[in-house]
């Protein structure tokens, strides 16, 4: 299917037929056969086999046709898919029938164990409509925030105008369930929950829908200016009650069908959820329905429990609402935990007086628009679904279903693989795949191929089965009670009277078959073939060598390895070839051993080597040539016999009068390279000396450092006396002024600085 510049493709996985899975002998009907493996087929041809075993009809299509089943008699279902709707991608206008996701509808038919891969394209359109609903906590702690946001409508509208021309804004508020123990119920507190602090505030309420979504931002500002706070006792609020009503009361809120729906949740406290309301006697679970009365107030606040996180998630996803938590720093962690369970939810930190709310909303909107993430809606527990994201920059992300840094006008592709592990018990499935926060989605219908079409032509009381003893279905007979056999020709009494046990055997047909019509019908096995009059033999129970049956060089016949040519032994692991046992003179193991499994086993004491060529106890070289010499010395020895004995000793003979010269084949051994040996020894001595010198220098340096450190430590411990010497006395000099005549003349004592 072609979609502008984008192509839609479907890819089927190749059949991964497990060896022997189809012929394992467990399928007695066509339906059972097709459910064994995606590659299994059933032969519906009558008289396809003379065997008593019905399950021989189940195998791969290739095997069945090789065994004589006609191609048009093979029941074999193939995984398939069909695109039912594929409108082009593009911006929605009044007349153009475009969409943000392609394709929009498809049908899948899968064999159990098979999978199919298809591609989804998602377009991030420009100038996308945006609806923002501002849901505010009006408990008394946020009284200063109301003053801050009185012009929010105008400022937010100006900022959003830079991003979209289709922007609308709405408002709602919440406090707490007006019941004990969340509020005080004295008449004064019910009328004015703030009277204890000499303030006037509204009676406690659950949730109020104040302003439907509108493009008139001045009206939004007027509504904000009229708001008054209320109060409750505990710190947590009924924010989740309010979120649920905003999500399900779409008609009163005014959500558009083709818009990006943002719910801005503003609070400085935690939220009750689930069964928190049981302490107030409210035990009826939240029903997830809209309960706004004529005054647009939540009428079931005192009757229904708080919604659970699961309920909130379902309703927000169902209505394509993206949640923005704008909370204070002390509540950030709580709402991050909540956002983890809600697709598309984000958390922003709100300043104490909400002065950064505008920046927070615009930033969250840009982040949401820059990311495309797929979600799956529907009952898909029986399926295995995986994704691979292909982002606009060409990055391929296996196992991921989202792309970041997406710009307006970009197209993101996703390869989706759907696998069906088993047949669907409850019939066909329907599920949706859609981008988070988008209205458009892909609708998928999936059916499992678990039934054979040949069942529609079944013949009750067929003449082929008995006759009149069974039903002919898909080429085989389903016998009535009391009858057996491939054509229901035998009775159960025939089975009991037959000889289906070997002498001394405890089980019928050795436990590997069934007694049908008095004879053993051996069951097929995924390991191999079972045969014999009593199914006592098989071709897979022989000994293994290095993991291979019969060493990989033989065939298993009734538990015994039958070796192929060139191999011997119990495991067929011994080669009968003697090439590896021949010595240099061509003699088998040098005449000193036997060739066993292609290797020499030396029998002469002291003999060794691959061909038993080494033998220290077998005499010296001259001893081995004794027979040759003696032959030439004896006059009666013929030259022919002597030549044979000498060749065995690897010697040649030059005889003259009275002398016999023996010549052995020379081995040209090159003389040693004296200069290189001398150079090597010299370099080795030099290197060893250098290493020893360096080691000695290191040891001396380490010892010197230790001595210096010891000296410094002892000097640091020394304490010098700084007190005055007790024997020291400073001197005193007296000077008398001789010109001073008055009585009471004074003496002046001058102490020298140095004591002298």
């Amino acid at each position: 299917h072609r979609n502008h510049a984008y192509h839609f493709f479907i890819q089927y996985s190749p059949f991964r037929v497990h060896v022997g899975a189809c012929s394992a002998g467990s399928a007695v009907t066509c339906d059972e056969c097709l459910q064994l493996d995606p590659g299994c087929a059933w032969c519906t041809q009558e008289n396809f086999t003379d065997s008593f075993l019905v399950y021989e009809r189940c195998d791969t299509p290739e095997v069945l046709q090789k065994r004589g089943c006609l191609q048009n008699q093979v029941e074999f279902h193939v995984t398939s898919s069909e695109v039912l709707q594929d409108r082009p991608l593009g911006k929605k206008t009044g007349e153009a029938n475009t969409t943000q996701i392609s394709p929009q509808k498809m049908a899948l038919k899968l064999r159990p164990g098979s999978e199919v891969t298809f591609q989804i394209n998602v377009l991030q359109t420009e100038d996308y409509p945006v609806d923002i609903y501002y849901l505010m906590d009006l408990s008394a702690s946020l009284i200063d925030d109301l003053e801050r946001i009185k012009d929010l409508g105008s400022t937010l509208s100006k900022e959003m105008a830079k991003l979209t021309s289709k922007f609308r804004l709405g408002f709602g508020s919440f406090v707490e369930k007006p019941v004990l123990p969340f509020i005080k119920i004295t008449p004064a507190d019910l009328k004015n929950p703030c009277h204890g602090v000499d303030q006037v505030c509204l009676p406690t309420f659950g949730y109020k829908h104040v302003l439907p979504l509108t493009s008139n931002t001045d009206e939004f500002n007027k509504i904000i200016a009229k708001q008054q706070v209320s109060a409750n006792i505990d710190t947590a609020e009924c924010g989740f009650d309010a979120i649920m009503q905003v999500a399900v009361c779409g008609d009163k809120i005014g959500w558009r069908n083709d818009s990006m729906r943002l719910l801005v949740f503003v609070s400085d406290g935690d939220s009750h959820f689930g069964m928190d309301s049981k302490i107030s006697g409210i035990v009826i679970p939240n029903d997830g329905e809209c309960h706004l009365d004529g005054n647009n107030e939540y009428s079931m606040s005192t009757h229904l429990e708080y919604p659970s996180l699961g309920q909130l998630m379902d309703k927000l996803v169902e209505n394509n609402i993206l949640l923005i938590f704008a909370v204070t720093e002390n509540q950030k962690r709580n709402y991050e935990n909540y956002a983890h369970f809600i697709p598309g939810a984000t958390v922003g930190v709100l300043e104490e007086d909400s002065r950064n709310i505008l920046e927070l909303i615009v930033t969250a909107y840009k982040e949401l628009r820059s990311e495309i993430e797929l979600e799956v809606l529907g009952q898909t527990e029986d399926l295995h679904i995986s994704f691979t994201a292909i982002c606009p920059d060409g990055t391929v992300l296996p196992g991921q279903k989202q792309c970041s840094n997406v710009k307006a006008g970009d197209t993101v592709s996703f390869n989706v693989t759907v696998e069906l592990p088993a047949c669907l018990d409850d019939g066909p499935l329907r599920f949706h795949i859609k981008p988070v926060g988008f209205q458009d989605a892909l609708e998928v219908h999936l059916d499992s191929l678990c039934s054979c079409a040949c069942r529609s032509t079944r013949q009750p009381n067929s003449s082929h089965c008995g006759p009149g003893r069974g039903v002919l279905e898909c080429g085989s007979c389903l016998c009535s009670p009391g009858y057996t056999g491939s054509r229901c020709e035998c009775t159960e009494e025939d089975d009991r009277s037959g000889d289906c046990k070997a002498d001394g055997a405890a089980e019928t047909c050795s436990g590997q078959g069934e007694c049908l019509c008095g004879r053993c019908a051996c069951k097929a096995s995924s390991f191999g073939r079972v045969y014999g009059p009593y199914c006592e033999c098989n071709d897979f129970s022989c000994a293994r060598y290095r993991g291979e049956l019969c060493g990989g060089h033989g065939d298993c016949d009734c538990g015994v390895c039958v070796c192929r040519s060139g191999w011997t032994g119990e495991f067929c692991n011994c080669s009968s070839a003697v090439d590896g046992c021949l010595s240099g003179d061509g003699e088998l193991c040098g005449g000193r051993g036997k060739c066993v499994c292609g290797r020499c086993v030396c029998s002469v004491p002291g003999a060794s080597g691959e061909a038993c060529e080494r033998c220290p106890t077998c005499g010296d070289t001259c001893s081995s040539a004794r027979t040759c010499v003696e032959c030439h010395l004896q006059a009666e020895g013929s030259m022919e016999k002597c030549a044979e004995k000498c060749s065995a000793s690897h010697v040649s003979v030059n005889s003259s009068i009275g002398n016999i010269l023996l010549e052995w084949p020379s081995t040209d051994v090159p003389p040693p390279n004296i200069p290189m040996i001398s150079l090597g020894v010299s370099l080795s001595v030099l290197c060893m000396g250098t290493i020893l010198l360096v080691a000695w220098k290191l040891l001396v340096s380490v010892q010197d450092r230790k001595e210096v450190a010891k000296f410094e430590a002892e000097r640091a411990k020394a304490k010098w006396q700084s007190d005055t010497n007790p024997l020291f006395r400073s001197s005193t000099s007296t000077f008398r002024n001789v010109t001073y005549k008055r009585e009471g003349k004074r003496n002046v004592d001058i102490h020298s600085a140095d004591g002298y």
Side-chain angles (χ1 to χ4, degrees):
H1 296 264
R2 188 172 182 84
N3 183 10
H4 288 279
Y6 309 105
H7 297 271
F8 178 76
F9 77 90
I10 299 175
Q11 176 181 343
Y12 304 98
S13 63
F15 294 123
R16 299 184 297 271
V17 184
H18 298 91
V19 177
C22 302
S23 58
S26 59
V28 296
T29 65
C30 182
D31 288 1
E32 293 178 356
C33 175
L34 297 188
Q35 296 174 28
L36 289 177
D37 194 272
C40 294
W42 180 269
C43 181
T44 63
Q45 182 176 321
E46 296 182 16
N47 299 322
F48 168 63
T49 175
D50 294 331
S51 170
F52 296 106
L53 301 179
V54 177
Y55 38 73
E56 289 187 357
R57 293 179 174 271
C58 183
D59 217 312
T60 62
E62 295 78 9
V63 172
L64 292 178
Q65 293 182 42
K66 287 181 180 179
R67 290 167 53 190
C69 186
L70 299 178
Q71 184 175 0
N72 61 355
Q73 297 292 319
V74 176
E75 182 90 13
F76 182 65
H77 293 172
V78 179
T79 293
S80 64
S81 65
E82 180 183 4
V83 177
L84 304 178
Q85 187 177 27
D86 189 19
R87 300 196 308 270
L89 294 174
K91 179 181 176 181
K92 291 188 176 181
T93 60
E95 298 180 357
N97 190 19
T98 57
T99 180
Q100 290 179 276
I101 186 171
S102 174
Q104 297 83 46
K105 185 181 293 186
M106 63 186 307
L108 305 178
K109 294 182 179 180
L110 273 68
R111 290 278 301 267
S114 65
E115 64 182 32
V116 61
T117 299
F118 54 90
Q119 190 174 86
I120 297 176
N121 296 313
V122 180
L123 174 65
Q124 186 69 284
T125 59
E126 301 178 13
D127 196 21
Y128 198 67
V130 180
D131 290 339
I132 297 181
Y133 191 85
Y134 195 88
L135 182 60
M136 185 173 183
D137 176 5
L138 283 188
S139 56
S141 57
L142 288 175
I143 188 171
D144 57 337
D145 298 65
L146 279 175
E147 181 67 21
R148 278 282 183 180
I149 67 170
K150 62 181 181 180
D151 296 324
L152 177 64
S154 301
T155 55
L156 183 58
S157 177
K158 291 179 181 178
E159 289 296 324
M160 294 301 295
K162 303 174 184 177
L163 306 173
T164 176
S165 62
K166 303 172 183 178
F167 170 68
R168 297 197 308 168
L169 194 60
F171 182 80
S173 59
F174 64 91
V175 182
E176 182 56 283
K177 289 183 180 293
V179 293
L180 269 176
F182 307 125
I183 65 169
K184 297 178 181 179
I185 59 172
T186 64
D189 287 306
L190 289 175
K191 184 178 181 180
N192 179 18
C194 303
H195 78 94
V197 293
D198 296 329
Q199 298 288 335
V200 177
C201 59
L202 294 176
T204 305
F205 60 91
Y207 161 67
K208 288 183 181 179
H209 168 48
V210 182
L211 177 66
L213 291 163
T214 177
S215 57
N216 189 343
T217 55
D218 292 335
E219 185 178 356
F220 181 87
N221 292 338
K222 292 178 182 179
I223 290 294
I224 295 296
K226 295 178 181 179
Q227 298 306 302
Q228 290 181 274
V229 297
S230 184
N232 58 309
I233 298 177
D234 64 336
T235 57
E237 322 292 359
C238 69
F240 285 0
D241 264 347
I243 293 176
M244 176 61 78
Q245 293 304 300
V246 174
V248 298
C249 299
D251 293 340
K252 293 191 175 184
I253 301 299
W255 299 114
R256 287 177 288 185
N257 292 331
D258 60 346
S259 68
M260 185 178 188
R261 303 174 179 180
L262 301 181
L263 172 56
V264 180
F265 178 91
V266 181
S267 179
D268 64 347
D270 200 357
S271 293
H272 289 294
F273 61 88
M275 297 184 289
D276 288 357
S277 56
K278 289 188 181 295
I279 61 175
S280 64
I282 301 176
V283 296
I284 302 175
N286 195 289
D287 59 4
E289 299 293 335
C290 181
H291 295 290
L292 295 183
D293 58 18
N295 296 322
N296 283 332
E297 294 189 14
Y298 181 35
S299 61
M300 299 298 287
S301 180
T302 59
H303 296 83
L304 297 180
E305 289 183 338
Y306 300 104
S308 66
L309 275 173
Q311 288 177 305
L312 277 185
M313 179 189 69
D314 290 341
K315 293 302 179 181
L316 289 171
V317 170
E318 178 183 333
N319 293 282
N320 303 305
I321 297 174
L322 299 175
L323 187 56
I324 301 174
F325 287 117
V327 296
T328 51
E329 180 67 38
N330 62 325
Q331 296 297 330
K332 177 183 177 183
R333 185 169 183 179
N334 290 334
Y335 284 93
E336 283 179 339
N337 292 334
Y338 301 150
H340 177 73
F341 297 99
I342 303 175
T346 60
V347 180
V349 177
L350 186 70
E351 298 293 341
E352 294 296 333
D353 57 357
S354 295
R355 60 178 177 270
N356 67 328
I357 185 63
L358 176 64
E359 177 186 355
L360 192 151
I361 294 174
V362 174
T363 300
Y365 169 78
K366 290 181 179 179
E367 290 179 356
L368 292 171
R369 285 281 290 168
S370 67
E371 187 173 278
I372 291 181
E373 179 180 2
L374 294 185
E375 60 182 347
V376 181
L377 306 178
Q379 301 298 322
T380 58
E381 291 82 2
D382 297 331
L383 305 176
H384 294 164
I385 304 178
S386 59
F387 298 85
T388 296
I390 306 174
C391 300
D393 60 358
T395 304
V396 179
L397 303 174
Q400 299 292 322
K401 54 181 179 180
Q402 70 177 46
C403 280
S404 302
N405 301 319
V406 180
K407 300 177 182 178
D410 286 347
T411 298
V412 180
S413 299
F414 298 91
N415 291 341
V416 184
T417 300
V418 179
E419 180 182 357
L420 179 67
C423 292
L424 300 175
D425 297 331
D426 300 327
L429 289 180
R430 188 181 70 156
F431 60 94
H432 294 80
I433 302 176
K434 62 183 291 294
V436 175
F438 284 48
Q439 303 296 323
D440 297 327
L442 167 63
E443 181 180 342
V444 181
H445 295 262
L446 187 146
D447 197 4
S448 57
L449 299 174
C450 296
S451 297
C452 295
C454 57
R455 294 182 58 190
S456 60
T457 59
R458 65 197 313 262
Q459 302 176 24
N461 299 320
S462 171
S463 59
H464 183 77
C465 304
R469 294 181 176 182
V471 178
L472 180 63
E473 180 180 294
C474 297
S476 63
C477 291
L478 302 180
C479 300
S480 302
Y483 298 99
T484 61
S486 60
R487 300 185 62 176
C488 307
E489 68 273 23
C490 302
T491 64
E492 294 180 354
E493 185 63 29
D494 296 333
D495 296 342
R496 288 191 292 269
S497 62
D499 182 16
C500 293
K501 281 187 180 181
D503 294 338
E507 293 182 288
T508 301
C509 299
S510 305
Q512 300 293 326
E514 298 179 22
C515 188
L516 299 176
C517 298
R519 291 184 294 169
C520 284
C522 302
K523 295 180 180 179
S525 172
S526 58
F527 298 104
R529 187 170 67 95
V530 179
Y531 58 96
Y534 304 103
C535 303
E536 73 279 11
C537 295
N538 60 64
D539 60 358
F540 53 83
S541 294
C542 292
R544 294 177 178 269
Y545 180 73
R546 294 182 178 177
E548 292 191 81
L549 191 67
C550 296
H553 305 298
D555 300 314
C556 183
D557 183 14
C558 205
V560 178
C561 285
V562 179
C563 301
R564 301 190 187 102
S565 176
W567 296 91
T568 60
E570 181 183 358
F571 307 134
C572 298
N573 60 325
C574 288
S575 173
S576 58
V578 297
D579 297 343
C581 297
L582 297 177
S583 59
D585 59 355
E587 190 174 2
L588 193 66
C589 298
R592 303 184 185 95
K594 297 180 180 179
C595 186
V596 179
C597 292
R599 292 186 177 183
C600 284
V601 178
C602 302
S603 57
V604 174
S608 62
E610 293 185 359
C612 303
E613 69 277 7
R614 294 188 293 273
C615 185
T617 62
C618 296
D620 55 14
T621 305
C622 290
S623 298
S624 64
R626 179 180 297 274
T627 56
C628 175
V629 174
E630 291 178 347
C631 181
H632 281 278
L633 292 177
Q634 294 174 1
E636 66 275 8
S638 64
M639 296 303 295
E640 290 79 6
K641 292 182 179 181
C642 292
E644 293 178 3
K645 293 181 179 181
C646 291
S647 62
S649 301
H650 304 286
V651 296
S652 60
V653 180
N654 288 327
S655 59
S656 60
I657 301 175
N659 294 311
I660 297 178
L661 177 62
L662 303 181
E663 296 179 353
W664 279 268
S666 63
T667 56
D668 296 330
V669 178
N673 193 333
I674 301 301
M676 290 303 296
I677 294 176
S678 302
L679 179 61
V681 172
S682 301
L683 291 176
S684 300
V685 172
L686 179 61
C687 290
M688 289 299 296
T690 304
I691 293 172
L692 291 175
L693 182 61
V694 171
W696 173 80
K697 183 62 178 177
L698 289 176
L699 290 174
V700 172
S701 299
V702 171
Q703 185 64 28
D704 290 346
R705 290 178 182 273
K706 288 183 178 180
E707 293 296 332
V708 172
K710 183 178 179 181
F711 170 76
E712 294 291 343
E714 291 178 353
R715 188 176 69 171
K717 294 178 181 179
K719 296 183 179 178
W720 303 99
Q721 185 66 31
S722 60
D723 295 339
T724 304
N725 191 339
L727 301 178
F728 176 77
R729 293 290 184 270
S730 61
S731 61
T732 302
S733 300
T734 302
F735 298 89
R736 195 179 299 273
N737 190 347
V738 295
T739 63
Y740 187 66
K741 303 296 184 179
R742 292 179 56 186
E743 295 182 357
K745 46 187 180 177
R746 297 180 179 177
N747 294 329
V748 179
D749 295 336
I750 299 177
H751 301 277
S752 63
D754 56 359
Y756 297 98

